[in-house]
Amino acid sequence: MVEIELDGKKVEVAPGSMVMDAANKLGTYIPHFCYHKKLSIAANCRMCLVEVEKAPKPLPACATPVSPGMIVRTHSDKAVQAQKSVMEFLLINHPLDCPICDQGGECQLQDLAVGYGKSNSRYDEEKRVVAPKEAGPLISMEEMSRCIQCTRCVRFGQEVAGVMEFGMVGRGEHSEITTFVGKTVDSEVSGNMIDLCPVGALTSKPFRYSARPWELQRRKSIAPHDSLGSNLIVQVKGGKVMRVLPLENEAINECWLSDKDRFSYEALDNADRLTGPMIKQDGKWIDTDWQTALEYVAHGLRNIRHEHGADSIAAVATPHSTLEELYLLNKVTRGLGSDNIEFRLRQTDFALSGQVTPWLGMPIAHFSQLKRAFVIGSNLRKDHPLVATRLRTATKGGAKLSLLGASDDELLMPVANKLVAAPGDWLAALSEVVVAVALAKDIAAPAGFGNVEPSEGGKAIAATLVGVDTPGAVLLGNAASYHPQASKIHAAAQWIAEQTGCSFGYLVDAANTVGGHIVGATGKGEAVFASPKKAYVLLNAEPELDAANPQQARAALDGADMVVVMSAFKHGMDFADVLLPVSPFTETAGTFVNCEGRAQSFNGTVKPLGETRPAWKVLRVLGNLLGLQGFDYETSESIRDEAIGKGVTDLSAKLNNVAKLAPSAGSYAPAGQLERVADVPIYFTDALARRSEPLQRTADANAPLVTLSKAVAEQIGVRSGDTVRVVQGSGSAVLVATVDAGLPSNAVRVAAGHPAVAALGAMFGPINVEKAVAQVGGGK
């Protein structure tokens, strides 16, 4: 440790630390713009100049290394005069538009100008003007004349997001931040650049000119999308959500937020919002009151149970529902005598049900310290944006990352090894890694692997995992958990993790996947739509987009006698009988359990819209109307305490990734049959993201393409930009084709979860493609 004196106080910091680090340790504030604790040092704003004894001139605190015995004065006359001089230079060209600036009231430049700026300027020349730029639907660059060239946005793109989408051109007074020619900002974490901007140069396009910071009430919440459980600040004005920002939590989301978590609130005022109960009579929808609607539901469920038995009733939810909602839905369903409840709508292999309650297997914060990792079946950047940023940090620190997947997507981080294979060949490729690990460790491979010959790729992955005693992880992604051979992939991956000393876990797919397992919202271990039922209760679920096989789901719903839709949005109007408006996460209290088993509770931030009610209240009343016992809850907290125990936040002890299933070897599929690769686009994973207008205008929300391998494209005579007809089962879609030389020769990539492909079948399995002359669009 190095000891220095700062403003008369002794402080010890690690060798190589900067004066700014010492000041932060003491809690001494040094004014700054370009410095940020999560970014590299730029030292280009010079606002943090301090006096260092024996130095001939003030030095920047962010870029001056400490040395033993150093004496620093941060607020001496010399330091303050230097800081004031820098402020005077910064304000020479800054426009005088504070009254209309969106950043007004939370602007670093404004705040520091009060302490270090003059009341008038010595410079009366004409101020420079920088032309506005177009950066896409999320970030506004209309007032780039305000930019002070701190380069935080540039460094964030390079270092955290992994892609340089902003850069600086010009020199001196002509320097300006700009996008690449003709390009928009398309990173899935781009919104963080708005937070980083210390002036009003980069602002939120959806929030622009809608409210002043001092008008907003700030309320804590938890992100309802991916499995991280990012901490949020929801800002409210007049009972309406105006903006969502990150709440810093180093253990989870650090100080970042994915764009999906940041901008999905725009769906809350969507025209599709369901604001009152509705019942279908004689094929027409009519508005009704809650009492009538719930009595209708209770009466219908009792009748179906009486006529067809309790097993003819099923409840379907999404893992984006709260712990309390899933707990009560499970209680209602089982109270009726049915075991048909399921929230794992995309899962197709249930062999490990009851054995495994999947979770990450380690704290989220440990990602940054990993030195070796093997990720199976995950589009990391799009499935888990902030996990990807932590892994990017790890790889920059020397971690060896290996991947097994169906496509060679750009992860914007160093990847040591990739095995790219069609989903039907994943188990075969994984079997090669198993044998390679056994050979590298000089141990016997599991029974049945005698005929497996490891490929060079399998050996390379084994080499990065074996023989080192450093933090490592073997992780199963969303696609691996949806896979028809998920249990066998699990067994092989578990064996690899055990033999290499790595932690083993799942990058679970949604905000409350872990919570759903904990409260037992899992049924008989089969796809809930595989055996059609007479009655379905849908909680936040849109099966034609959320199910593993939309064709199968839609057929089951069309054939049901009664379908009850509990949702914040109008959907399923053609197959539903009752629509019950339930609150999105901003209008209800609840709990999400994230991938590391951490239960995080939140309260509603605004009142429910119209006649919308929290789903836990609706389910409680429904339980009462059905005459079920134990539905006398007054608060969501009482439901949570009954479900997981009072005051319990760490649920990792209830979770288990270890299965007793022995590994079994896989074999490569015979040539000829094409199979589907179905990723779920980042902004089509749930009802909120699908209806957020700014997110739906991003590049990631473009209509799905059919991505063909070079071999398939040549075989059917298709080039990028042509239209093709994709056929699965009884459904088809006509889509635009693109050719990807990195796609396996027997794979066809077609997204799931999008209305344009809702007529297609299973996410995994056979698919046919033919050249089409039809207009682009979906349909049967």
Side-chain angles (χ1 to χ4, degrees):
M1 299 295 281
V2 176
E3 184 179 85
I4 71 167
E5 182 183 305
L6 193 142
D7 291 341
K9 299 175 184 176
K10 302 285 186 181
V11 60
E12 287 188 345
V13 290
S17 297
M18 303 296 157
V19 170
M20 185 71 85
D21 299 320
N24 289 341
K25 189 170 182 179
L26 279 176
T28 299
Y29 179 73
I30 298 175
H32 61 272
F33 293 112
C34 69
Y35 169 81
H36 190 277
K37 63 183 179 181
K38 295 287 183 181
L39 302 176
S40 63
I41 294 167
N44 54 7
C45 78
R46 318 307 282 184
M47 191 65 212
C48 64
L49 292 175
V50 294
E51 181 184 357
V52 177
E53 196 168 272
K54 298 182 181 177
K57 60 182 180 181
L59 300 175
C62 69
T64 302
V66 296
S67 59
M70 177 186 275
I71 297 175
V72 180
R73 300 180 185 93
T74 67
H75 294 93
S76 66
D77 290 343
K78 188 175 182 180
V80 170
Q81 186 53 51
Q83 292 159 0
K84 286 185 174 181
S85 296
V86 170
M87 177 59 71
E88 187 174 15
F89 281 124
L90 287 173
L91 294 178
I92 289 174
N93 276 309
H94 200 78
L96 300 173
D97 56 0
C98 290
I100 61 149
C101 179
D102 256 5
Q103 197 88 344
E106 54 186 13
C107 174
Q108 258 183 285
L109 184 67
Q110 200 175 52
D111 293 343
L112 292 179
V114 172
Y116 298 91
K118 294 183 176 181
S119 58
N120 62 321
S121 175
R122 289 186 285 174
Y123 299 91
D124 51 15
E125 291 83 2
E126 197 171 295
K127 292 180 182 287
R128 77 167 190 161
V129 175
V130 179
K133 315 289 190 303
E134 177 52 52
L138 305 180
I139 299 176
S140 173
M141 298 180 72
E142 289 296 311
E143 288 90 10
M144 291 307 293
S145 298
R146 299 170 184 163
C147 177
I148 60 169
Q149 287 81 47
C150 71
T151 69
R152 280 184 178 184
C153 55
V154 178
R155 284 175 286 146
F156 173 84
Q158 290 175 298
E159 298 162 18
V160 181
V163 56
M164 186 175 174
E165 294 182 294
F166 281 134
M168 183 181 284
V169 296
R171 293 178 64 83
E173 188 184 44
H174 303 291
S175 299
E176 59 181 89
I177 301 292
T178 185
T179 58
F180 286 87
V181 179
K183 299 287 186 181
T184 56
V185 176
D186 297 325
S187 167
E188 59 281 353
V189 290
S190 66
N192 294 292
M193 293 190 273
I194 299 167
D195 297 341
L196 286 171
C197 185
V199 294
L202 302 180
T203 55
S204 168
K205 194 170 276 189
F207 176 71
R208 186 172 162 81
Y209 294 151
S210 60
R212 286 300 198 176
W214 56 83
E215 299 176 308
L216 301 173
Q217 297 172 304
R218 290 158 177 79
R219 291 159 186 172
K220 295 179 183 179
S221 191
I222 304 297
H225 301 292
D226 67 31
S227 62
L228 215 66
S230 297
N231 289 200
L232 310 178
I233 296 174
V234 178
Q235 298 190 332
V236 175
K237 175 187 175 184
K240 180 182 175 183
V241 175
M242 305 301 293
R243 183 166 60 166
V244 171
L245 298 175
L247 174 63
E248 185 170 348
N249 187 330
E250 276 298 312
I252 299 175
N253 56 301
E254 301 175 274
C255 55
W256 312 127
L257 209 54
S258 70
D259 288 352
K260 180 159 60 173
D261 290 331
R262 183 185 297 271
F263 295 109
S264 67
Y265 76 89
E266 283 284 310
L268 298 173
D269 292 317
N270 189 278
D272 279 351
R273 270 303 294 266
L274 180 63
T275 56
M278 300 178 77
I279 294 177
K280 186 189 287 183
Q281 288 189 347
D282 299 325
K284 294 181 181 178
W285 286 98
I286 60 168
D287 296 324
T288 187
D289 59 80
W290 271 106
Q291 185 72 21
T292 303
L294 288 176
E295 285 179 353
Y296 180 88
V297 171
H299 180 73
L301 292 176
R302 276 196 300 263
N303 279 356
I304 288 170
R305 179 177 61 175
H306 176 71
E307 292 176 15
H308 303 283
D311 193 54
S312 62
I313 298 172
V316 178
T318 67
H320 302 281
S321 307
T322 67
L323 183 89
E324 293 80 357
E325 291 165 0
L326 291 175
Y327 181 76
L328 286 194
L329 184 67
N330 185 36
K331 197 170 179 180
V332 167
T333 307
R334 298 194 194 276
L336 285 167
S338 172
D339 293 328
N340 300 313
I341 177 168
E342 193 57 77
F343 75 93
R344 302 167 294 177
L345 300 189
R346 296 194 190 278
Q347 190 163 323
T348 52
D349 179 0
F350 297 90
L352 297 180
S353 283
Q355 280 193 59
V356 169
T357 45
W359 70 299
L360 192 58
M362 65 180 190
I364 294 166
H366 287 189
F367 266 103
S368 305
Q369 284 88 53
L370 288 175
K371 293 299 178 185
R372 52 202 174 114
F374 182 23
V375 178
I376 301 160
S378 177
N379 185 359
L380 276 168
R381 279 179 56 205
K382 307 303 179 182
D383 292 345
H384 306 282
L386 296 187
V387 169
T389 64
R390 286 189 181 267
L391 272 177
R392 191 170 292 118
T393 300
T395 55
K396 284 163 62 179
K400 301 293 185 185
L401 174 63
S402 300
L403 302 172
L404 168 58
S407 56
D408 190 12
D409 292 339
E410 177 54 69
L411 292 186
L412 305 175
M413 67 180 86
V415 177
N417 306 290
K418 282 183 183 177
L419 279 180
V420 180
D425 294 331
W426 284 0
L427 184 58
L430 201 54
S431 299
E432 294 179 358
V433 180
V434 168
V435 173
V437 167
L439 288 171
K441 292 199 69 180
D442 197 21
I443 59 174
F449 283 74
N451 295 325
V452 177
E453 285 293 327
S455 64
E456 290 304 311
K459 290 177 182 176
I461 291 175
T464 64
L465 297 176
V466 172
V468 285
D469 186 20
T470 54
V474 176
L475 298 163
L476 298 175
N478 294 3
S481 63
Y482 303 155
H483 198 281
Q485 293 179 304
S487 57
K488 293 181 178 180
I489 290 172
H490 174 111
Q494 180 183 316
W495 188 91
I496 293 169
E498 289 169 347
Q499 300 306 318
T500 57
C502 292
S503 69
F504 174 55
Y506 280 80
L507 295 163
V508 295
D509 62 343
N512 202 33
T513 300
V514 174
H517 282 279
I518 284 175
V519 300
T522 53
K524 297 178 177 180
E526 64 178 23
V528 72
F529 296 110
S531 302
K533 307 299 178 186
K534 292 295 182 181
Y536 285 98
V537 178
L538 309 181
L539 174 60
N540 297 320
E542 300 177 353
E544 63 272 44
L545 302 175
D546 293 328
N549 188 329
Q551 271 180 28
Q552 187 185 77
R554 185 58 193 266
L557 293 168
D558 286 341
D561 291 346
M562 184 179 197
V563 177
V564 180
V565 169
M566 298 175 63
S567 174
F569 302 97
K570 293 177 183 175
H571 70 86
M573 306 285 280
D574 44 355
F575 58 74
D577 298 284
V578 187
L579 299 181
L580 303 178
V582 296
S583 301
F585 81 107
T586 51
E587 299 170 19
T588 185
T591 303
F592 291 135
V593 183
N594 73 355
C595 56
E596 65 179 2
R598 183 191 300 240
Q600 300 185 103
S601 295
F602 57 92
N603 291 314
T605 54
V606 292
K607 290 181 180 179
L609 186 65
E611 290 298 307
T612 301
R613 295 291 179 266
W616 69 265
K617 290 187 176 181
V618 176
L619 290 165
R620 180 199 64 192
V621 175
L622 185 58
N624 292 332
L625 291 174
L626 288 167
L628 305 178
Q629 297 299 309
F631 281 83
D632 52 356
Y633 308 102
E634 294 294 327
T635 63
S636 66
E637 289 80 6
S638 61
I639 306 169
R640 177 197 63 201
D641 294 346
E642 183 177 299
I644 61 174
K646 193 169 185 177
V648 177
T649 56
D650 182 4
L651 297 169
S652 57
K654 295 185 177 182
L655 305 172
N656 169 51
N657 289 324
V658 179
K660 297 175 182 176
L661 186 67
S664 57
S667 57
Y668 286 95
Q673 176 61 59
L674 298 179
E675 60 174 292
R676 183 179 179 182
V677 175
D679 55 314
V680 182
I682 182 171
Y683 301 135
F684 286 90
T685 53
D686 59 84
L688 276 176
R690 289 179 193 125
R691 292 172 174 85
S692 170
E693 191 266 340
L695 293 181
Q696 291 305 311
R697 288 194 286 113
T698 62
D700 276 320
N702 289 340
L705 300 172
V706 178
T707 307
L708 306 173
S709 66
K710 197 172 179 182
V712 172
E714 289 175 355
Q715 182 183 336
I716 63 174
V718 167
R719 293 180 296 178
S720 289
D722 290 348
T723 56
V724 295
R725 181 179 173 83
V726 182
V727 181
Q728 262 192 313
S730 60
S732 67
V734 177
L735 304 165
V736 176
T738 184
V739 180
D740 180 0
L743 200 65
S745 60
N746 60 330
V748 175
R749 188 173 184 176
V750 184
H754 192 286
V757 293
L760 298 180
M763 292 175 65
F764 297 86
I767 193 167
N768 292 309
V769 184
E770 58 194 37
K771 194 169 184 178
V773 192
Q775 296 265 319
V776 174
K780 288 190 177 181

